Amino acid sequence: MSAEVTLLGVRHHGPGSARAVAAALEQLKPDAVLIEGPPEADAIAALAADKEMQPPVALLAHVVDDPARAAFWPFAVFSPEWVALRYAVDHDVPVRFVDLPAAHTFALAEAPSGVPGGTSDEAADAEAAGGGTGDPIAALAAAAGHDDPERWWEDVVEHRSPGDDALAPFAAVAEAMAAIRDGAPAGPHTRRDELREAYMRQQIRAARRAGHERIAVVCGAWHVPALQTMPTVAHDRALLTGLPRAKTEITWVPWTHRRLSQHTGYGAGIDSPGWYHHLFTSPDRPITRWMTGIADLLRAEDHPVSSAHVIEAVRLAETLAVMRGRPLAGLGETLDAVRSVMCDGSDVTLALVHERLVVGDALGEVPDGAPAVPLQRDLARLQRSLRLKPEAAERELVLDLRKELDANRSRLLHRLRLLGIDWGVPARSAVNSTGTFRETWRLHWEPEYAVRVVEAAHWGTTVEDAACGKAARQAADAPDLAVLTGLVEQCLLAGLTGALPAVMRVLADRAALDTDVAHLAAALPALVRALRYGDVRGTDGSALEEVARGLAERISVGLPPACTGLDADGAATMRAHLDAVHTAVGLLPAAPADTAGDTPADRWAAALRSLAAREPSAGPATGVPGLLRGRAVRLLLDDTRIDSAEAGRRMGLVLSPAGAPADAAGWIEGFLAGGGALLLHDAALLGLLDDWLTGVPGDTLIDLLPVLRRTFSVLEAGVRRTIGERAATGPLGTAVPLAAAARPEAFDEPRADAALPVLALLLGLPGTVAPAPLPFVPRQPDGRNS
């Protein structure tokens, strides 16, 4: 007795196709189900029936020796393949995946992108399915006289329920695909399709040989004609003989609706997975239920939406569907109705609906029994113990490092970042705090992090061991000191005490050999930050402090020569180093062996004095740019190492007629970079600046305008406004006390005395008597006193 093979051609991730497959399987009652997908997944197919398995999920296959070569086959609730898989495992029917094995696919593709030959990339699958004709759905829509293939497919398939004969739609689709494939020119994926279809036919023959009588095959509609007419066994065997293989592993991983909506990478090209999920799970009154869900969302976001809005939006959507000749209101009609009725025409509010409902933030779950590398299991254990559940929706997490739970969470997130898994990204807290005990993270789980976990598995079997192993390798490969010190900071933040000794040895060796002051200056701030965080986290920073003090000493000695002969770009870079080192040195504690006047801060101040006293640039490779000399003076002034009189003297020398205007402009830029408020409090400095500006020749002033504009544009708006107001009142060389400027010309002492009893009562001074109440004075109707 010959086996009956029924081919169910579908479009991947379509709710209508999924409903049709469910109805067809109930009608056929097959004793074997074959599904387009990697055969390596046969061993884990039964996990689909586990209660902990919640779509969207995906099959992840990767090359054992090169985990970066990975592929995903995603499944949603509304995927026809998932419906077929669940039917088979729920009814204890043998199920097999019959696509070309991933082992061959990886070996054949030098650089796989997305999922070669899988069902995870709808855009690529459509291109491959069309051979030389492009998208077959578009070709069918054009033949039917429709210019929108997605809308046409929704009307004829996705929005319709199965009829009395559940197999009739599949016969019609198969006939249409046969007509499109007949005579179609060869396309770029023809060879791949021939291999895939040959393997599928071989698996159908194997199911027949196994004695199955009713075989259901769920595959892409494009492949149905190639499976209806079976060539000889020798033909298919010749195609598949000698194919290369790669050693692969496969497992289940969580997936997201958002990833399904992407057209590139590991996406599936579904524009509206949330809408499709709703259509599949709401067989009755889908439009009414959809509008109700939108109303709930908008109410939660404080938008005034009532039941009347829902009723009117449903009516409008159904009316639009009738006017446009559609059997059911589609996504376009519902969104048009929502924009008009619930969003008051606002595309901003409609974007919220699209983000949260049309696409959605659904994140699937897989059971613990799914195959996983040891690193993945350790990460899952830490996520449970630290109560950090991966979520597709972005959320903010504020940690208090003084609490053990939050400190452990912080270490985990920092370790994952070191491994290249950016599940958490540091963010700026809404609470202004200068303390180092608070951290703010922005958490957002992406499905491809599962691949990165597999990639990182060779560093260690636990998150801590893997992070330590990768940190040691990064230290050995670090190109410069700045990268090394940043790595030290990461190790301290991540609590990697096992990696710190190796990293510190490399840092000490590199620091001893590096003579570039710019490199040393770029490295010091990260070391000092690491010291501060180490204090909060209880890490021993003695070795780190020794290296940091050594770097600060060498920077102080080599700073003046390093600033000589720099061009404009080099001076700007060195100025940034000056600011960063100045802040870092101020945070370095004094050692017990330091004497008064011989601390790191004192040695740094001596270096700044030497820099400020250097000769100005007179040409290439000579002198110190004014930008750096002015910045050194300002840093000394802010640290009270010099007073305002000394700063004014130095400014006067630079702004004298003997100085070059360009050098003076650079000096002013460096001096005012820390803020211009001091000009408001020191009239002498403001006067010097005013006298210099008014004395610059016109031609020279035009050349200096870009520098001057850049200098004053960074000043606070209030400072610029006040300087302008003072300039409008007269010469800027004399101080005008603000209180005197605001004092009225005539002071009414009796009027002021009348307020004294009230002030004394408010201050609670003894012996005070409450003032007599004011007499009641009625007002006229027009508001005037009578």
Side-chain angles (χ1 to χ4, degrees), residues 152-351:
W152 174 81
W153 181 262
E154 285 189 351
D155 287 347
V156 300
V157 176
E158 307 300 352
H159 290 172
R160 295 187 181 274
S161 299
D164 295 335
D165 184 3
L167 300 179
F170 296 104
V173 170
E175 182 180 356
M177 289 299 170
I180 293 178
R181 288 189 63 143
D182 187 22
H189 299 281
T190 300
R191 171 63 177 169
R192 188 189 73 169
D193 282 345
E194 289 176 350
L195 294 176
R196 294 174 62 195
E197 290 161 356
Y199 193 88
M200 292 181 194
R201 290 191 292 265
Q202 290 285 66
Q203 296 307 301
I204 293 175
R205 294 186 183 105
R208 283 174 169 167
R209 289 195 301 270
H212 298 295
E213 298 179 357
R214 297 181 308 281
I215 304 171
V217 182
V218 180
C219 63
W222 177 258
H223 304 298
V224 170
L227 304 183
Q228 283 178 326
T229 57
M230 300 282 258
T232 63
V233 175
H235 173 272
D236 290 340
R237 188 175 296 163
L239 285 175
L240 299 173
T241 299
L243 290 182
R245 296 181 64 90
K247 188 177 180 181
T248 60
E249 292 180 348
I250 195 165
T251 186
W252 289 102
V253 295
W255 206 249
T256 66
H257 277 177
R258 191 169 306 281
R259 183 60 64 191
L260 284 172
S261 69
Q262 296 184 0
H263 288 260
T264 58
Y266 295 124
I270 306 170
D271 293 327
S272 51
W275 166 251
Y276 276 8
H277 182 275
H278 171 78
L279 287 180
F280 185 74
T281 56
S282 301
D284 64 315
R285 297 185 295 170
I287 304 303
T288 302
R289 296 180 184 276
W290 178 251
M291 293 299 186
T292 303
I294 293 177
D296 289 342
L297 169 65
L298 295 180
R299 288 169 187 156
E301 297 294 331
D302 294 331
H303 291 277
V305 178
S306 66
S307 300
H309 287 86
V310 175
I311 295 171
E312 186 59 31
V314 171
R315 289 176 177 172
L316 180 55
E318 292 174 346
T319 302
L320 289 173
V322 173
M323 294 176 62
R324 296 170 182 175
R326 308 196 66 179
L328 178 71
L331 181 61
E333 286 72 32
T334 60
L335 292 183
D336 287 344
V338 168
R339 179 192 289 110
S340 300
V341 178
M342 298 186 188
C343 300
D344 297 327
S346 171
D347 286 333
V348 175
T349 308
L350 190 66

Side-chain angles (χ1 to χ4, degrees), residues 69 73 100-110 112 115-118 192 196 244:
R69 297 177 62 189
W73 284 261
L100 189 68
H104 293 317
T105 305
F106 286 131
L108 290 169
E110 293 182 359
V115 181
R192 188 189 73 169
R196 294 174 62 195

Side-chain angles (χ1 to χ4, degrees), residues 371-387:
V373 295
L375 180 61
Q376 175 63 54
R377 296 193 183 281
D378 184 62
L379 174 59
R381 177 187 62 80
L382 291 171
Q383 289 170 337
R384 288 193 299 269
S385 63
L386 299 178
R387 300 196 292 275

Side-chain angles (χ1 to χ4, degrees), residues 10 188 221 509 512 554 595 665 687 698:
V10 300
D509 294 344
R554 294 173 61 191
T595 59

Side-chain angles (χ1 to χ4, degrees), residues 433-455:
S433 173
T434 58
T436 57
F437 63 85
R438 180 188 298 273
E439 276 187 351
T440 302
W441 294 83
R442 187 173 293 108
L443 301 183
H444 178 56
W445 183 263
E446 293 285 359
E448 58 263 31
Y449 292 157
V451 177
R452 298 185 188 176
V453 172
V454 177
E455 290 177 337

